[in-house]
Amino acid sequence: PMFYRDYQKKEMLRLFERILPEQEWKRLSDTAEEIELEEMKQIAKTHIERIISTRLLELGIPPHMLGYYYLRAIISDAVESPDILQDISHNCYTKIAAVFQKSPLSVERAIRLAITNAWENKGDICQLTKTPYRPTNREFISLVAEQIRVRYF
């Protein structure tokens, strides 16, 4: 309980050191004792979403496409727990559809359209896959989530 919470806080601080800009990291590390664990988790989630947003833009997926927001939410979940991608249509599309009040089919289609758009416009997505074929939704989500996990975790 208390030992475990201290351990979790230390782990969150290590994560912050990797994902936060230096000034923000220093401010947080100085006040770490006063910050609650839940607040630390929320700060981490916000910065991870910022990293995901930046990566999606680099890959050529613009924020005016609905699939951008669905991808950001699914990739965020996949970074935290990669096993959700085992059954993407049940675990991911259904969950995101409920959050955005859409059907799972429309979520899948919007994601596919965003990936196809980036592929056809020859964004950085071509270097991500290193194949002549457009990646499937699952392949794309897995690749981006794994890149972020390897780089920051």
Side-chain angles (χ1 to χ4, degrees), residues 69-70 73 77 92-102 107:
Y69 297 98
Y70 300 155
D77 289 347
C92 299
Y93 298 152
T94 306
K95 179 182 173 189
I96 299 304
V99 169
F100 287 91
Q101 298 178 340
K102 301 288 183 182
V107 169

PDB file of all heavy atoms in Angstrom, residues 69-70 73 77 92-102 107:
ATOM      1  N   TYR A  69      -8.627  11.275 -34.512  1.00  0.00           N
ATOM      2  CA  TYR A  69      -9.013  11.240 -33.094  1.00  0.00           C
ATOM      3  C   TYR A  69      -9.221   9.809 -32.607  1.00  0.00           C
ATOM      4  O   TYR A  69      -8.863   9.479 -31.476  1.00  0.00           O
ATOM      5  CB  TYR A  69     -10.255  12.101 -32.865  1.00  0.00           C
ATOM      6  CG  TYR A  69      -9.960  13.542 -33.189  1.00  0.00           C
ATOM      7  CD1 TYR A  69     -10.304  14.076 -34.425  1.00  0.00           C
ATOM      8  CD2 TYR A  69      -9.272  14.337 -32.289  1.00  0.00           C
ATOM      9  CE1 TYR A  69      -9.993  15.385 -34.734  1.00  0.00           C
ATOM     10  CE2 TYR A  69      -8.950  15.651 -32.594  1.00  0.00           C
ATOM     11  CZ  TYR A  69      -9.317  16.168 -33.815  1.00  0.00           C
ATOM     12  OH  TYR A  69      -8.987  17.461 -34.136  1.00  0.00           O
ATOM     13  N   TYR A  70      -9.781   8.977 -33.476  1.00  0.00           N
ATOM     14  CA  TYR A  70      -9.958   7.565 -33.115  1.00  0.00           C
ATOM     15  C   TYR A  70      -8.593   6.893 -32.967  1.00  0.00           C
ATOM     16  O   TYR A  70      -8.366   6.138 -32.021  1.00  0.00           O
ATOM     17  CB  TYR A  70     -10.776   6.827 -34.174  1.00  0.00           C
ATOM     18  CG  TYR A  70     -12.177   7.364 -34.394  1.00  0.00           C
ATOM     19  CD1 TYR A  70     -12.821   7.158 -35.602  1.00  0.00           C
ATOM     20  CD2 TYR A  70     -12.861   8.065 -33.412  1.00  0.00           C
ATOM     21  CE1 TYR A  70     -14.104   7.616 -35.821  1.00  0.00           C
ATOM     22  CE2 TYR A  70     -14.142   8.540 -33.633  1.00  0.00           C
ATOM     23  CZ  TYR A  70     -14.758   8.314 -34.842  1.00  0.00           C
ATOM     24  OH  TYR A  70     -16.025   8.766 -35.051  1.00  0.00           O
ATOM     25  N   ALA A  73      -6.834   7.893 -29.724  1.00  0.00           N
ATOM     26  CA  ALA A  73      -7.391   7.214 -28.552  1.00  0.00           C
ATOM     27  C   ALA A  73      -6.964   5.746 -28.503  1.00  0.00           C
ATOM     28  O   ALA A  73      -6.567   5.239 -27.445  1.00  0.00           O
ATOM     29  CB  ALA A  73      -8.915   7.324 -28.571  1.00  0.00           C
ATOM     30  N   ASP A  77      -4.362   3.794 -25.774  1.00  0.00           N
ATOM     31  CA  ASP A  77      -4.703   2.552 -25.050  1.00  0.00           C
ATOM     32  C   ASP A  77      -3.685   1.450 -25.344  1.00  0.00           C
ATOM     33  O   ASP A  77      -3.289   0.705 -24.455  1.00  0.00           O
ATOM     34  CB  ASP A  77      -6.102   2.067 -25.429  1.00  0.00           C
ATOM     35  CG  ASP A  77      -7.203   2.958 -24.860  1.00  0.00           C
ATOM     36  OD1 ASP A  77      -6.905   3.796 -23.981  1.00  0.00           O
ATOM     37  OD2 ASP A  77      -8.359   2.813 -25.305  1.00  0.00           O
ATOM     38  N   CYS A  92     -11.081  -2.477 -29.226  1.00  0.00           N
ATOM     39  CA  CYS A  92     -10.779  -1.086 -29.576  1.00  0.00           C
ATOM     40  C   CYS A  92     -11.941  -0.358 -30.235  1.00  0.00           C
ATOM     41  O   CYS A  92     -12.388   0.676 -29.744  1.00  0.00           O
ATOM     42  CB  CYS A  92      -9.564  -1.029 -30.490  1.00  0.00           C
ATOM     43  SG  CYS A  92      -8.077  -1.693 -29.740  1.00  0.00           S
ATOM     44  N   TYR A  93     -12.403  -0.875 -31.359  1.00  0.00           N
ATOM     45  CA  TYR A  93     -13.443  -0.173 -32.101  1.00  0.00           C
ATOM     46  C   TYR A  93     -14.713   0.002 -31.274  1.00  0.00           C
ATOM     47  O   TYR A  93     -15.323   1.065 -31.288  1.00  0.00           O
ATOM     48  CB  TYR A  93     -13.774  -0.901 -33.413  1.00  0.00           C
ATOM     49  CG  TYR A  93     -12.628  -1.010 -34.381  1.00  0.00           C
ATOM     50  CD1 TYR A  93     -12.568  -2.054 -35.281  1.00  0.00           C
ATOM     51  CD2 TYR A  93     -11.600  -0.074 -34.412  1.00  0.00           C
ATOM     52  CE1 TYR A  93     -11.521  -2.168 -36.191  1.00  0.00           C
ATOM     53  CE2 TYR A  93     -10.547  -0.183 -35.313  1.00  0.00           C
ATOM     54  CZ  TYR A  93     -10.520  -1.230 -36.195  1.00  0.00           C
ATOM     55  OH  TYR A  93      -9.491  -1.335 -37.085  1.00  0.00           O
ATOM     56  N   THR A  94     -15.101  -1.024 -30.539  1.00  0.00           N
ATOM     57  CA  THR A  94     -16.321  -0.939 -29.729  1.00  0.00           C
ATOM     58  C   THR A  94     -16.175   0.098 -28.627  1.00  0.00           C
ATOM     59  O   THR A  94     -17.079   0.900 -28.390  1.00  0.00           O
ATOM     60  CB  THR A  94     -16.658  -2.321 -29.125  1.00  0.00           C
ATOM     61  OG1 THR A  94     -16.720  -3.267 -30.189  1.00  0.00           O
ATOM     62  CG2 THR A  94     -17.965  -2.301 -28.388  1.00  0.00           C
ATOM     63  N   LYS A  95     -15.022   0.106 -27.973  1.00  0.00           N
ATOM     64  CA  LYS A  95     -14.781   1.061 -26.888  1.00  0.00           C
ATOM     65  C   LYS A  95     -14.775   2.499 -27.414  1.00  0.00           C
ATOM     66  O   LYS A  95     -15.422   3.381 -26.855  1.00  0.00           O
ATOM     67  CB  LYS A  95     -13.449   0.746 -26.207  1.00  0.00           C
ATOM     68  CG  LYS A  95     -13.098   1.694 -25.101  1.00  0.00           C
ATOM     69  CD  LYS A  95     -11.742   1.368 -24.503  1.00  0.00           C
ATOM     70  CE  LYS A  95     -11.337   2.442 -23.515  1.00  0.00           C
ATOM     71  NZ  LYS A  95      -9.971   2.288 -23.060  1.00  0.00           N
ATOM     72  N   ILE A  96     -14.050   2.726 -28.506  1.00  0.00           N
ATOM     73  CA  ILE A  96     -13.960   4.070 -29.076  1.00  0.00           C
ATOM     74  C   ILE A  96     -15.321   4.506 -29.622  1.00  0.00           C
ATOM     75  O   ILE A  96     -15.707   5.667 -29.477  1.00  0.00           O
ATOM     76  CB  ILE A  96     -12.879   4.124 -30.180  1.00  0.00           C
ATOM     77  CG1 ILE A  96     -11.506   3.781 -29.597  1.00  0.00           C
ATOM     78  CG2 ILE A  96     -12.849   5.482 -30.867  1.00  0.00           C
ATOM     79  CD1 ILE A  96     -11.051   4.636 -28.443  1.00  0.00           C
ATOM     80  N   ALA A  97     -16.045   3.581 -30.213  1.00  0.00           N
ATOM     81  CA  ALA A  97     -17.378   3.901 -30.731  1.00  0.00           C
ATOM     82  C   ALA A  97     -18.301   4.367 -29.606  1.00  0.00           C
ATOM     83  O   ALA A  97     -19.062   5.327 -29.779  1.00  0.00           O
ATOM     84  CB  ALA A  97     -17.973   2.684 -31.435  1.00  0.00           C
ATOM     85  N   ALA A  98     -18.212   3.732 -28.463  1.00  0.00           N
ATOM     86  CA  ALA A  98     -19.041   4.119 -27.322  1.00  0.00           C
ATOM     87  C   ALA A  98     -18.663   5.512 -26.820  1.00  0.00           C
ATOM     88  O   ALA A  98     -19.532   6.332 -26.508  1.00  0.00           O
ATOM     89  CB  ALA A  98     -18.907   3.096 -26.198  1.00  0.00           C
ATOM     90  N   VAL A  99     -17.382   5.794 -26.772  1.00  0.00           N
ATOM     91  CA  VAL A  99     -16.904   7.098 -26.298  1.00  0.00           C
ATOM     92  C   VAL A  99     -17.368   8.216 -27.233  1.00  0.00           C
ATOM     93  O   VAL A  99     -17.839   9.259 -26.784  1.00  0.00           O
ATOM     94  CB  VAL A  99     -15.360   7.115 -26.179  1.00  0.00           C
ATOM     95  CG1 VAL A  99     -14.828   8.521 -25.940  1.00  0.00           C
ATOM     96  CG2 VAL A  99     -14.902   6.184 -25.069  1.00  0.00           C
ATOM     97  N   PHE A 100     -17.252   7.986 -28.551  1.00  0.00           N
ATOM     98  CA  PHE A 100     -17.595   9.012 -29.533  1.00  0.00           C
ATOM     99  C   PHE A 100     -19.045   8.907 -30.016  1.00  0.00           C
ATOM    100  O   PHE A 100     -19.449   9.664 -30.887  1.00  0.00           O
ATOM    101  CB  PHE A 100     -16.645   8.931 -30.743  1.00  0.00           C
ATOM    102  CG  PHE A 100     -15.264   9.443 -30.439  1.00  0.00           C
ATOM    103  CD1 PHE A 100     -14.280   8.592 -29.976  1.00  0.00           C
ATOM    104  CD2 PHE A 100     -14.950  10.776 -30.625  1.00  0.00           C
ATOM    105  CE1 PHE A 100     -12.994   9.052 -29.714  1.00  0.00           C
ATOM    106  CE2 PHE A 100     -13.676  11.259 -30.365  1.00  0.00           C
ATOM    107  CZ  PHE A 100     -12.695  10.391 -29.897  1.00  0.00           C
ATOM    108  N   GLN A 101     -19.798   7.970 -29.476  1.00  0.00           N
ATOM    109  CA  GLN A 101     -21.200   7.734 -29.842  1.00  0.00           C
ATOM    110  C   GLN A 101     -21.370   7.493 -31.345  1.00  0.00           C
ATOM    111  O   GLN A 101     -22.168   8.117 -32.023  1.00  0.00           O
ATOM    112  CB  GLN A 101     -22.076   8.901 -29.373  1.00  0.00           C
ATOM    113  CG  GLN A 101     -22.047   9.065 -27.870  1.00  0.00           C
ATOM    114  CD  GLN A 101     -22.876  10.235 -27.388  1.00  0.00           C
ATOM    115  OE1 GLN A 101     -23.189  11.143 -28.152  1.00  0.00           O
ATOM    116  NE2 GLN A 101     -23.241  10.202 -26.128  1.00  0.00           N
ATOM    117  N   LYS A 102     -20.569   6.562 -31.839  1.00  0.00           N
ATOM    118  CA  LYS A 102     -20.606   6.130 -33.236  1.00  0.00           C
ATOM    119  C   LYS A 102     -20.710   4.614 -33.262  1.00  0.00           C
ATOM    120  O   LYS A 102     -20.635   3.954 -32.237  1.00  0.00           O
ATOM    121  CB  LYS A 102     -19.328   6.561 -33.979  1.00  0.00           C
ATOM    122  CG  LYS A 102     -19.068   8.033 -33.987  1.00  0.00           C
ATOM    123  CD  LYS A 102     -20.019   8.752 -34.894  1.00  0.00           C
ATOM    124  CE  LYS A 102     -19.692  10.240 -34.948  1.00  0.00           C
ATOM    125  NZ  LYS A 102     -20.612  10.974 -35.766  1.00  0.00           N
ATOM    126  N   VAL A 107     -16.119   3.714 -36.948  1.00  0.00           N
ATOM    127  CA  VAL A 107     -14.790   3.953 -36.367  1.00  0.00           C
ATOM    128  C   VAL A 107     -13.731   3.264 -37.224  1.00  0.00           C
ATOM    129  O   VAL A 107     -12.728   3.870 -37.600  1.00  0.00           O
ATOM    130  CB  VAL A 107     -14.724   3.458 -34.898  1.00  0.00           C
ATOM    131  CG1 VAL A 107     -13.295   3.459 -34.384  1.00  0.00           C
ATOM    132  CG2 VAL A 107     -15.616   4.312 -34.012  1.00  0.00           C
TER     133      VAL A 107
END
